[in-house]
Amino acid sequence: MSFTLRSVKVPPNSVNLEEARSRMFEFFRLACRSIPSIIDIYNLDEVVTKSQLRTTIAAQIRKNSQVTNPKVIDMLLFKGMEELNNILEHAKQRHHMIGQYVTGQHGLVQDLDSKDKGMSDFLKNFYKTNYF
Amino acid sequence: MGLGLLASRAIRPFNSSSGSRFLLRTIVSKPELQSPESSAAAADASPEPDLPPRTPVGGARVHFTNPEDAIEVFVDGYPVKIPKGMTVLQACEVAGVDIPRFCYHSRLSIAGNCRMCLVEVEKSPKPVASCAMPALPGMKIKTDTPVAKKAREGVMEFLLMNHPLDCPICDQGGECDLQDQSMAFGSDRGRFTEMKRSVVDKNLGPLVKTVMTRCIQCTRCVRFASEVAGVQDLGILGRGSGEEIGTYVEKLMTSELSGNVIDICPVGALTSKPFAFKARNWELKGTETIDVTDAVGSNIRIDSRGPEVMRILPRLNEDINEEWISDKTRFCYDGLKRQRLNDPMIRGADGRFKVVSWRDALAIVAEVAHQVKPEVIVGIAGKLSDAESMMALKDFLNRMGSNNVWCEGTGTQPNADLRSGYIMNTSISGLEKADVFLLVGTQPRVEAAMVNARINKTVRANNAKVGYIGPVTDFNYDCQHLGTGPNTLMEIAEGHHPFFSAISNAKNPVIIVGAGVFEREDKDAIFSVVETIAKKGNVVRPDWNGLNVLLLNAAQAAALDLGLVPESSNSIESAKFVYLMGADDVNLDKLPDDAFIVYQGHHGDRGVYRANVILPASAFSEKEGTYENTEGCAQQTLPAVPTVGDARDDWKTIRALSEVAGVRLPYDTLGGIRSRMRTVAPNLLQVDEREPATFGHSLKPEVAQKLNPAPFKSAVENFYMTDAITRASKIMAQCSASLLKK
Ligand code: SF4
Ligand code: FES
C-alpha cells in the first residue's frame, strides 16, 4: 500500500532552530489540511468538530513548546508525521481516534464541577483511585 | 500385604531370566552404602576436620533454667551445650543439623513411630530414633554417616512402598515432607513391583479432605486432635499394614481447630477441602498479616494468586497463636469474594439502590450531615474496623460537632478510662502460668479459640482447675460448671462458694470476664463483684495480674484505646444521621424511621438493609491497618490483594468526606493519621509489642448499681458466622450446617 501522503519522507536534519520551527508550522498546516479527510475516514463528525481537532493538534504541539534543540524537534516532527500518516492510512480504528484525540485522557464523562477548584490533591486522587 | 508379597517372592523358585535379574539387583543404590560399616571405619580413621560453628536450625534457642543442668554432647564432632532432658533430635537442631522426621512435632507428644530420624550414636549397637532418645552427657551423635544414611534410605523405601505415586494430582505437592525427604534421603530407584495397599477415605466434614491411602501413619493428627484440639475424634485402627487413621464411628471432626491437621500432616493425606485442586502452592504470593475474625489477632499468611485470596495459613507467633489458627480464620476467605459492595450507591425513591459516582455520593452525605443538628449525628465503627479509620471517624464526627461515636460490641457505657479494665492483663501466653481459671460469662471456645487452646494446654500441663459461670457449654477440657448467673458470682465474692477457696489457695489464679458482659445493663456491678473476688482471692498482685477481659472483636481494644465512647447511652433513639462504618450487628430497631443511614463497608450484610447511601470499603486483606488484640498487642495488616471494584480504604473515605463536608481532617497519609493516633493512644504505634496496662483496677470509683440476677447469655451464637466476612462465606455456612447441628 502506498503512502497516502506523498510528502512523507525523511527530510534532512534542520540546521538551526528557525528551520525546525518553520518545519513544525508546515507540519501543523499539513495536519490541519487533512482534518476533513480524517473526519471522513473515521466518521468523526458526530463526536467532534474541525476546530476541536485543530485545538487538539495545537495542544499536542504546544506540549513540547519548551524544546529548543533542533535535533529533538526533528525527531518529534518525525513522530508526528508518522502518526499522521498512520491515521490517514486508516491504520487506526475509530475508538483509537476518539480515545486519543476526542475525549483525551479524562474519559468520556467529564465529571467536573465548579466546586472542584478548591479541592485538595487528596480529594482529586481519591475520586480517581484507591491507590495513591 | 507388601511385606508378605515380598517374602513370598523371595522363597518362590525363580524362572530363569527375570528371577536372576531380581537377584542381581543391589540392595542399596549408592556404592558406598553397600557396606556401610567398612566405610564408616574408613571415615573414623580420618582426622576430625575443624568445624566452623553452625547456626541452629530455624533460630532454635536453648534456655537454661539451671546452669548445672547443662550437658555437652557432640554432634558430628561439634560440641554443643544443651539442658538436660533434651532429646537427641533437639540437640542436633541446636547444633544446626536438621534431622529428617515425620512423626516428631515440637508441640505434640513424642510417638517415635516413623523411624525417619534415625542417627548413629557412638557405642550403640543400632541406629537410634533421635526424636525419642534423651541426650546423655558426652554422647557422640553422628548424623551424616553411611549407617545413618542407609537407615534413612531404608525407612524411606518402606514408607514409599505403600504410598501412592500421585504427586502430580496431590494438593500437598510442592510442600510435602515426604516428597522433599525422599528427594533428599531416598533411593534413586524403586524395587517395588507389587500392588500398593489402599485405604478407604474418611469423611471428616466440610473442611478437611482425606486421601487416606497417602497416610504414612505418623499419628501427628491423632496426637494433635487429642492434645491440642482436645477432642478424641481421631484415632488409629488396626495393626500392621491394616493400620488406618479415622474416626472410630462414622463421625465428623467437631473441633474449631480441625484445620490445623492439614498443616501438620506431613503428606497429602489430610488437605484442605475448599482449597482442593484450586492452585499449586508455588504460584501463590504470601502476605504476612493479621486475622480479624476474633479479638486474638492470630498471625496469618494470606496466599493469593492475582486478585484472589486462595488460602490462609498460620504464622508462628509464640505469644499469640503459637502455630495454630482456628477454622474460622483459616476458611473464612471465600467470604471475601462474595456479596462484596463495589460501587457507591444511593437508595432511590423506589427503595432500590442506584450506582452513583463517588463525587455524588459524598456530596449527598455531606449535605444531609449538615442539615441535621450536630447532637443527632451518630457514628458506629464495625467489629472489623482498623484503628486508623476509627480515629478518622471520631475526628470527623467531632468536627461535625457530635461526640456520639462508638464501636459495636462495647455496649452503651463502656469503661474506656482504665486500660486494665478491658484487656487481657495476664497476656495470652501468660495464661500458661495459671493454675485456677474462673470464666465469667464467657465461652472462650467459641469467642477466642486460640485463647481456649492456651487454657487447654495449661489444663493439660499443670492440671489447672477451671470453673465457669454462664450457660452450660461444651468445653474440651475438664471444668466445673459453677452457675449460670451473677448470683453465683456473688456467692464466690462473699466466700461461701467452694470455688472461692480454690481461687484463694491458687498460686496464679486467673479470672476471665467475657466481653458479652459489656452489653448488660448491670455491667458495672458485675465488674465490681469480680473485682471483689480478685481482691479477696489475691488475683491482682504486683507480680501477677490475673484479672482479664476477653474481648470479642478485632476492633474493640483499639476503639476503647482511642476513646470511642458514646456521649449519651440513648443516642440511637434520637439519631437522625447514622454513619455505620462496617457496623452490622448494632441493634437499629429503636432508630427513628426518618433517620438517614450511611453504610460504609465491604459486604452487603445486615447494615445495608436500612442504609440510604452505601460507600464501598476495602476488607482486611486489602488494606494496611492497625489492629489491637485482646491482650493489648498492636499489629498491622498488609494488603494481599487489590480492592474490589471502586472501593476505597475506610480512612480515605472519611478523610474525603470531611473535605466535601467542609471540615477537612488534617491528614492525607497513613503516616499523618498515625501521628494523630500517637497523641491519643501511643501504644497503637508499638507494633507487635504488647503494651500492658499501667494502672490497676484499684483506681475505679465505687459503683452503686444493682446486680441483675438474669443469667449470662452466650455472646457468640454461631462460632462460624460472627461478622460480615464469615456470614458471606459459603464454607462457613456449610460448617454451621453440618458441625453445629445438634
Ligand atoms: S493422616 Fe497425615 S498426620 Fe495423620 S497419621 Fe496419616 S500422615 Fe500422619
Ligand atoms: S521423627 Fe523420630 S521416629 Fe518419627
Side-chain angles (χ1 to χ4, degrees), chain B residues 328-464:
Chain B
K328 185 164 52 168
T329 309
R330 187 186 296 263
F331 294 111
C332 71
Y333 60 85
D334 74 326
L336 292 169
K337 299 172 213 160
R338 300 160 56 87
Q339 299 241 335
R340 289 298 296 270
L341 301 171
N342 50 5
D343 280 306
M345 281 181 262
I346 294 181
R347 199 189 284 276
D350 55 351
R352 303 181 74 89
F353 280 113
K354 212 169 76 243
V355 174
V356 294
S357 71
W358 271 103
R359 212 176 286 262
D360 298 342
L362 292 190
I364 287 184
V365 174
E367 199 187 308
V368 177
H370 275 301
Q371 277 165 6
V372 297
K373 283 206 279 329
E375 307 85 69
V376 295
I377 299 181
V378 162
I380 307 173
K383 46 170 74 159
L384 305 179
S385 313
D386 51 312
E388 284 84 358
S389 45
M390 287 193 284
M391 183 81 256
L393 180 68
K394 183 170 160 66
D395 280 351
F396 169 58
L397 255 64
N398 287 357
R399 274 168 196 243
M400 292 298 290
S402 156
N403 201 12
N404 278 316
V405 50
W406 71 95
C407 174
E408 63 179 349
T410 49
T412 42
Q413 287 294 308
N415 152 40
D417 299 334
L418 283 176
R419 201 153 169 269
S420 61
Y422 57 84
I423 65 168
M424 183 160 261
N425 294 305
T426 322
S427 84
I428 295 175
S429 56
L431 290 179
E432 280 179 35
K433 295 199 210 89
D435 45 9
V436 165
F437 289 91
L438 173 63
L439 311 177
V440 182
T442 178
Q443 305 164 347
R445 189 166 179 192
V446 289
E447 288 172 19
M450 295 327 303
V451 171
N452 195 51
R454 280 294 168 148
I455 301 178
N456 183 13
K457 189 175 173 188
T458 317
V459 171
R460 246 155 233 285
N462 36 353
N463 271 326

Side-chain angles (χ1 to χ4, degrees), chain B residues 589-606:
Chain B
D589 294 343
K590 295 211 201 93
L591 199 68
D593 283 338
D594 59 342
F596 185 84
I597 302 182
V598 182
Y599 181 79
Q600 171 186 336
H602 38 78
H603 276 80
D605 205 52
R606 293 178 192 163

